């Protein structure tokens, strides 16, 4: 990011020299080359290591993120709960075969299905589990050694299909080492036994999922006298024997028997917590059970945040149509009208970017990993970004309150904070969550402030202006709805801003239209504005206290198709209600400010304080106190529900406090951060693009372009992400000039055609709808 703006901090001569090389255009060329290179590397890597089977990644390796959160290599692991595990395993039979450590794994697996299940089975006997509601059967069979007894059980399943499990998980070695003193003869016999078991396992694996659990390490210092012979060296030899006997060459049928090695890797970091040195702590057993649940269920339930063991989803009809319509074509070489050529070029660039979106978050061309919040992952990059913002500062061209440079700066730093908040998973920390909620409210406050100011000063209620605004707000989201097969409400902020723009327009455009020109002639018109704002406030309060009416209104087709998520408008109701007063606060602030400005009640000269010294000092003091008080309150909140109840009423205090601190001192109003302002100009594109090409799995995870190097990966993915967002912003502005004609007749025809097309698409998709989670 700093490269894109580095030239701003230098003198004009040096800046011109550097801008010849470090331009935004060159940055985008580098980003495009990086994407192509990384795509080739990922494709070659998957081919070299046996294809794009993320189950191998899940089962073979990973790392702890902290607090017993396991991160498989290159993919995301879904945290299964009772309801979705029962749905996956309904009418299925799962069998565990092995010793006491496999029995522990069995109990951890069963507790995912039934959290109330107790470990009350007899130690050296078979243990059954059955769930009546879902007809799930999970059984543990006591086979402490890999011998003829285990082999006969496997053979019986291959011969009797009625008793054959759908999933088999087995493993054994510790008892063989213990009973025979870890002799080399016993190890050789173990190899012979597993080789003999390989054939029935292969036959069983033809239509049953078979997992061999490699032996976990032991804490040799904590082992009792009777287990001293079970050493980690012995266990490694037995694991090597199992891998040789059961997993053969990659092309053989034996490869269908999967080896669970990741749980052993997890245990190596926690075995020191074992009570007896042999059996794993419960947290580590839970990791192994969740690994197995993901391996078995992800391909069946296809959770959006469980990319391990999932292939790419087949494209929907709308996605196929998008692939055809956005297919990249070379512009015609013959000279043509500027309009169509510009349109074609913009569509070509947009098609290439949408292909990247699809590859990142639908085709699984790149890896994904889980989020994990720590204070360092949020606050360290936050401090870094704030320092950069202060470093790239310039004198502002004008010194009015909330001038264009200042509002761009405001949107820019807020957007960067929100991005860090999302990638770090900081919503888990309530104080950060509540402060970010204020930032979202501030965006809506600016929506009310900006549009009210435009209509009040310009009085332009024409259809062309409205269509321009709506197109710029919605173009990217509507394209993503088709390309990524997501409902409109999934990108919740755009529907929210669009709704409030329509409300502001209706409030100002409806009779009587009260504009500054009229108010200059008679102060009575000011009462007309206040009356309109009061009516809007009553409208908001009525909706907020009438959830039934709200739901009935937005559940009517075709409106429902825009505001439903997972077949419900609850998410829309939650988002709308959370910041319901922010827009009217912005409109009221704009009205008061513009009236004071017209009456010359403000001092907005360069270097001048906004008010007299006494009033300025008082307002600054109150602003600082409100900031501190809010932070203390946010830190004391017990839960998000309690905080969210108060948020609509108090967020405006924080917003006003920031505006006053930022604008009362003349020196503060005279400078701005060009770094933040640059990002502020593309803040909407940044917010939307992050869903699929910076984050992953529809914001549930993090995109991994460079595996194994988290910090470098964030830098590279951020660079590509920012370049893509900036290019989309340019494309949107170019298309708005071409698609939205100034001629009213032509515009009405295009609106009619667009409306018919939209109704057709909504009608064709009336019976479906993507099932996706909300966004925090």
């Amino acid at each position: 990011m700093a490269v894109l703006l580095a030239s701003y901090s230098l003198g004009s001569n040096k800046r011109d020299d550097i801008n010849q090389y470090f331009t935004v255009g060159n940055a985008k060329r580098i980003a495009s080359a990086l994407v192509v290179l990384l795509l080739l590397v990922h494709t070659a890597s998957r081919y070299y290591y046996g294809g794009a089977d993320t189950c191998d990644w899940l089962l073979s390796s990973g790392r702890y993120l902290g607090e017993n959160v396991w991160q498989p290599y290159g993919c995301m692991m879904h945290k299964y709960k009772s309801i979705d595990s029962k749905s996956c395993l309904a009418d299925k039979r799962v069998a565990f075969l092995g010793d006491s450590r496999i029995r522990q794994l069995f109990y951890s697996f069963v507790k995912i299905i039934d959290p109330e299940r107790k470990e009350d089975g007899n130690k050296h006997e078979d243990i059954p589990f059955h769930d009546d509601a879902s007809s799930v059967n999970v059984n543990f069979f006591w086979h402490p050694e890999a011998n003829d007894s285990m082999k006969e059980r496997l053979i019986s399943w291959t011969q009797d299909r009625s008793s054959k499990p759908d999933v088999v998980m087995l493993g054994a070695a510790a008892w063989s080492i213990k009973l025979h003193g870890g002799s080399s003869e016993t190890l050789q016999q173990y190899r012979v036994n597993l080789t003999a078991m390989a054939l029935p396992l292969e036959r069983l694996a033809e239509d049953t999922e078979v997992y061999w659990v490699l032996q976990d390490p032991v804490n040799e210092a904590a082992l009792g006298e009777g287990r001293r012979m079970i050493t980690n060296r012995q266990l490694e030899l037995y694991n090597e024997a199992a891998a040789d006997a059961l997993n053969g060459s990659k092309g053989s049928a034996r490869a269908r028997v999967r080896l669970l090695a990741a749980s052993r890797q997890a245990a190596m970091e926690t075995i020191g917590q074992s009570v007896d040195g042999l059996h794993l702590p419960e947290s580590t057993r839970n990791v192994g059970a969740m690994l197995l649940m993901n391996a078995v269920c992800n391909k069946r339930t296809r959770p959006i945040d469980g990319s391990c063991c999932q292939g790419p989803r087949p494209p929907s009809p709308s996605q196929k149509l998008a692939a055809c319509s956005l297919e990249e074509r070379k512009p015609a070489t013959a000279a043509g009208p500027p309009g169509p050529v510009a349109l074609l070029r913009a569509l070509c660039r947009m098609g290439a970017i949408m292909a990247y979106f699809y590859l990142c978050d639908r085709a699984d061309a790149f890896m994904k990993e889980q989020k994990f919040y720590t204070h360092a992952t949020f606050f360290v990059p936050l401090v870094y970004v704030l320092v950069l913002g202060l470093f790239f500062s310039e004198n502002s061209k004008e010194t009015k309150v909330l001038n264009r440079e200042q509002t761009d700066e405001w949107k820019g730093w807020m957007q960067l904070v929100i991005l860090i908040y999302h990638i770090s998973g900081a919503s888990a920390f309530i104080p950060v969550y509540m402060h970010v909620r204020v930032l979202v409210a501030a965006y809506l406050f600016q929506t009310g402030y900006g549009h009210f100011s435009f209509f009040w000063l310009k009085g332009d209620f024409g259809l062309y202006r409205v269509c321009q605004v709506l197109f710029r707000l919605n173009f990217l989201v509507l394209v993503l709805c088709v390309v990524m097969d997501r409902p409109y409400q999934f990108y919740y902020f755009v529907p929210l801003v669009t709704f409030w723009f329509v409300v502001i327009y209706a409030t100002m455009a409806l009779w009587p239209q009260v504009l500054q020109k009229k108010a200059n002639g008679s102060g009575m018109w000011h009462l007309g504005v206040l009356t309109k704002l009061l009516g809007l406030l009553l409208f908001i309060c009525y909706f907020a206290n009438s959830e039934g009416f709200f739901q009935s209104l937005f559940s009517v087709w075709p409106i429902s198709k825009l505001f439903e998520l997972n077949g419900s408008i609850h998410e829309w109701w939650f988002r709308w209600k959370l910041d319901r007063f922010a827009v009217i606060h912005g409109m009221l602030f704009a009205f008061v400010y513009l009236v004071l400005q017209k009456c010359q009640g403000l001092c907005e000269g360069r270097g001048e304080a906004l008010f007299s010294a006494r009033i300025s000092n008082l307002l600054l003091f109150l602003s600082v106190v409100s900031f501190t008080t809010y932070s203390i309150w946010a830190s004391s909140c017990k839960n998000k529900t309690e905080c969210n109840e108060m948020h609509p009423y108090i967020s405006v205090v924080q917003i006003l406090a920031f505006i006053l601190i930022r604008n009362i001192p003349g020196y503060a109003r005279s400078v701005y951060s060009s770094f933040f302002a640059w990002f502020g100009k593309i803040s909407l594109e940044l917010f939307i693009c992050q869903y699929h090409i910076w984050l992953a799995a529809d914001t549930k995870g993090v995109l991994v372009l460079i595996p194994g190097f988290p910090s470098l990966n964030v830098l590279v993915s951020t660079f590509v992400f920012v370049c893509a967002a900036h290019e989309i912003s340019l494309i949107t502005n170019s298309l708005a000039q071409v698609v939205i004609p100034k001629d009213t007749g032509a515009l009405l025809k295009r609106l009619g055609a667009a409306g018919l097309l939209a109704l057709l698409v909504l009608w064709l998709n009336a019976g479906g709808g993507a099932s996706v989670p909300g966004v925090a």
Side-chain angles (χ1 to χ4, degrees):
M1 288 186 278
V3 172
L4 297 174
L5 295 168
S7 61
Y8 285 113
S9 65
L10 303 174
S12 58
N13 293 332
K14 293 183 178 179
R15 184 184 304 168
D16 292 339
D17 293 338
I18 289 182
N19 280 343
Q20 295 178 10
Y21 304 100
F22 295 107
T23 63
V24 175
N26 286 338
K28 291 175 184 176
R29 294 183 186 95
I30 295 172
S32 301
L34 275 173
V35 169
V36 174
L37 176 62
L38 290 169
L39 184 59
L40 291 174
V41 170
H42 278 258
T43 303
S45 176
R46 292 193 181 204
Y47 177 79
Y48 178 78
Y49 289 107
D53 189 355
T54 52
C55 262
D56 287 339
W57 298 348
L58 170 71
L59 298 172
S60 61
S61 62
R63 69 185 190 278
Y64 272 114
L65 297 178
E67 297 183 10
N68 302 313
V69 177
W70 182 254
Q71 172 59 63
Y73 174 76
C75 62
M76 295 172 62
M77 190 166 69
H78 177 65
K79 187 176 181 180
Y80 278 90
K81 296 183 179 179
S82 178
I83 186 169
D84 47 359
S85 61
K86 288 180 181 179
S87 174
C88 163
L89 299 174
D91 302 316
K92 296 286 191 298
R93 284 176 292 190
V94 182
F96 286 78
L97 286 79
D99 54 16
S100 58
R101 296 209 279 186
I102 297 296
R103 183 179 65 236
Q104 285 187 310
L105 187 61
F106 157 80
Y107 275 122
S108 295
F109 189 88
V110 165
K111 286 180 180 179
I112 299 175
I113 304 169
D114 181 8
E116 303 301 321
R117 172 73 184 201
K118 305 296 183 183
E119 298 185 21
D120 52 6
N122 295 325
K123 288 189 174 181
H124 295 169
E125 295 181 7
D126 299 345
I127 304 172
F129 169 80
H130 176 75
D131 181 77
D132 294 328
S134 58
S135 298
V136 175
N137 288 281
V138 185
N139 294 292
F140 169 74
F141 298 96
W142 173 252
H143 288 284
E145 290 190 87
N147 54 19
D148 289 341
S149 174
M150 182 181 286
K151 176 183 174 183
E152 289 170 3
R153 174 80 68 176
L154 299 174
I155 292 175
S156 69
W157 284 337
T158 60
Q159 294 174 347
D160 182 8
R161 300 185 64 86
S162 62
S163 63
K164 184 173 63 173
D166 299 284
V167 183
V168 174
M169 301 162 189
L170 69 166
W175 270 68
S176 297
I177 299 172
K178 175 184 175 181
L179 293 177
H180 302 284
S183 66
S184 58
E185 293 81 5
T186 304
L187 176 60
Q188 183 59 34
Q189 186 61 47
Y190 184 80
R191 288 195 180 95
V192 172
N193 291 346
L194 284 186
T195 302
M197 289 168 54
L199 182 58
L201 280 173
E202 289 170 19
R203 291 177 178 173
L204 193 63
E206 291 176 359
D207 50 6
T208 295
E209 294 182 53
V210 181
Y211 300 87
W212 182 271
V213 182
L214 294 181
Q215 291 297 299
D216 296 321
V218 295
N219 182 5
E220 296 179 11
L223 290 172
E225 190 62 35
R227 295 170 175 168
R228 293 285 185 186
M229 68 292 297
I230 308 176
T231 65
N232 287 318
R233 175 57 183 161
Q234 283 283 327
L235 292 173
E236 288 177 8
L237 293 174
Y238 276 73
N239 283 335
E240 290 172 4
D244 291 339
L246 300 178
N247 211 10
S249 63
K250 292 184 178 180
S252 70
R254 296 183 183 183
R256 287 197 293 261
V257 179
R258 293 187 178 274
L259 300 181
L260 177 58
S263 61
R264 177 176 180 273
Q265 186 178 348
M268 291 178 69
E269 300 187 36
T270 60
I271 190 61
Q273 304 170 19
S274 172
V275 176
D276 59 7
L278 178 67
H279 297 99
L280 298 176
E282 183 178 4
S283 59
T284 310
R285 302 198 312 261
N286 292 342
V287 168
M290 198 60 71
L291 285 167
L292 289 171
M293 189 68 78
N294 275 259
V296 172
C297 289
N298 281 4
K299 53 185 168 292
R300 295 187 175 98
T301 61
R302 303 187 72 86
I304 196 66
D305 60 341
S307 62
C308 301
C309 292
Q310 276 199 63
R313 298 167 184 260
S316 66
S318 60
Q319 288 174 311
K320 293 178 181 178
L321 179 62
C324 295
S325 60
L326 290 176
E327 180 182 3
E328 187 171 2
R329 304 181 183 91
K330 296 295 182 182
T333 55
V341 171
L343 176 64
L344 183 57
R345 287 175 176 167
L347 290 177
C348 288
R349 300 199 306 275
M350 193 68 181
I353 295 173
M354 288 301 104
Y356 178 63
F357 272 75
Y358 188 87
L359 290 173
C360 288
D361 214 17
R362 289 297 177 269
D364 293 327
F366 301 108
M367 299 175 180
K368 303 175 179 68
E369 290 191 352
Q370 293 145 199
K371 300 178 185 178
F372 180 73
Y373 175 74
T374 64
H375 292 324
T377 58
F378 177 76
F379 288 104
V380 170
L382 179 64
V383 171
Y384 174 74
V385 165
L386 292 179
V387 169
L388 278 177
L390 293 174
F391 182 76
F392 293 100
S393 60
E394 293 186 1
N395 292 327
S396 57
K397 295 178 181 178
E398 56 178 320
T399 57
K400 293 182 179 179
V401 173
L402 293 182
N403 58 69
R404 181 60 181 269
E405 291 168 333
Q406 190 182 127
T407 54
D408 283 340
E409 173 201 85
W410 191 8
K411 288 187 289 185
W413 71 255
M414 288 195 302
Q415 185 57 60
L416 292 176
V417 172
I418 291 173
L419 290 176
I420 298 171
Y421 165 84
H422 280 155
I423 199 171
S424 64
S427 61
F429 187 45
I430 291 181
V432 173
Y433 169 81
M434 290 311 302
H435 282 85
V436 170
R437 288 258 55 86
V438 174
L439 300 187
V440 175
Y443 268 105
L444 294 174
F445 180 95
Q446 285 198 52
T447 297
Y449 172 85
H451 291 304
F452 178 92
S453 299
F454 177 85
F455 291 130
W456 173 259
L457 297 173
K458 303 291 185 181
D460 182 1
F461 298 100
L463 185 60
Y464 173 75
R465 156 76 181 176
V466 173
C467 291
Q468 283 274 322
V469 172
L470 293 178
F471 182 88
R472 286 173 173 152
L473 285 176
N474 290 274
F475 169 70
L476 175 57
V477 162
L478 293 178
V479 172
L480 287 177
C481 287
V482 177
V483 174
M484 307 305 291
D485 193 24
R486 284 295 172 258
Y488 180 63
Q489 183 56 218
F490 176 73
Y491 308 93
Y492 73 92
F493 187 72
V494 170
L496 201 57
V497 176
T498 301
F499 171 82
W500 284 115
F501 169 73
V502 173
V503 169
I504 296 168
Y505 176 82
T507 303
M508 299 298 291
L510 290 177
W511 184 89
Q513 289 184 2
V514 183
L515 308 176
Q516 188 183 60
K517 293 179 180 179
K518 291 184 179 180
N520 289 341
S522 173
M524 291 298 294
W525 285 109
H526 291 152
L527 293 177
V529 174
L530 294 175
T531 302
K532 282 194 170 187
L533 293 179
L534 178 61
L536 177 57
L537 178 62
L538 294 175
F539 163 81
I540 293 171
C541 293
Y542 176 75
F543 264 60
N545 292 285
S546 306
E547 184 175 358
F549 178 71
F550 184 95
Q551 291 185 350
S552 63
L553 178 64
F554 288 100
S555 296
V556 176
W557 191 90
I559 297 176
S560 61
K561 301 306 296 183
L562 298 178
F563 296 102
E564 284 182 352
L565 192 65
N566 298 331
S568 169
I569 67 164
H570 175 76
E571 180 74 9
W572 168 237
W573 161 254
F574 169 75
R575 297 292 181 183
W576 179 88
K577 190 176 180 182
L578 196 59
D579 295 303
R580 58 187 179 273
F581 298 124
V583 169
I584 194 172
H585 286 151
M587 297 173 70
L588 183 59
F589 177 84
F591 173 70
V592 173
Y593 165 68
L594 292 172
V595 170
L596 287 175
Q597 188 184 59
K598 191 67 178 177
C599 297
Q600 298 182 345
L602 304 173
C603 301
E604 293 184 299
R606 187 172 297 274
E608 291 183 318
L610 196 61
F611 303 102
S612 64
R614 180 178 297 179
I615 295 177
S616 295
N617 291 334
L618 176 63
L619 290 177
L620 286 173
F621 173 76
L622 293 175
S623 299
V624 172
V625 169
S626 71
F627 258 107
T628 306
T629 304
Y630 181 87
S631 296
I632 294 173
W633 172 79
S635 300
S636 64
C637 269
K638 296 179 181 179
N639 54 66
K640 291 181 180 179
T641 302
E642 176 186 296
C643 292
N644 287 336
E645 287 295 322
M646 290 294 297
H647 170 75
Y649 305 100
I650 62 177
S651 60
V652 66
V653 177
Q654 287 294 92
I655 296 169
L656 291 176
F658 168 77
I659 294 174
L660 292 176
I661 292 173
R662 182 69 180 83
N663 285 276
I664 287 178
Y667 62 85
R669 210 171 54 252
S670 302
V671 296
Y672 78 105
S673 169
S674 58
F675 179 83
F676 290 143
W678 191 89
F679 286 98
K681 293 174 182 177
I682 58 170
S683 60
L684 182 66
E685 288 77 14
L686 288 171
F687 187 87
I688 300 168
C689 290
Q690 67 168 322
Y691 279 63
H692 303 295
I693 61 170
W694 196 53
L695 304 176
D698 293 344
T699 75
K700 297 297 182 182
V702 178
L703 180 67
V704 178
L705 298 180
I706 303 179
F709 301 92
S711 298
L712 180 60
N713 174 69
V714 170
L715 290 175
V716 173
S717 65
T718 301
F719 176 69
V720 176
F721 154 60
V722 171
C723 288
H726 187 272
E727 183 64 20
I728 290 174
S729 176
L730 296 181
I731 292 171
T732 302
N733 290 330
S734 298
L735 289 178
Q737 304 303 319
V738 178
V739 174
I740 310 297
K742 292 185 177 181
D743 179 70
T744 303
L747 179 56
L748 288 174
K749 290 179 181 179
R750 293 191 183 184
L751 288 177
L756 291 175
L757 179 61
L759 288 175
L760 178 62
V761 172
L762 292 175
W763 179 76
L764 291 174
N765 291 291
S771 177
V772 294
V775 181

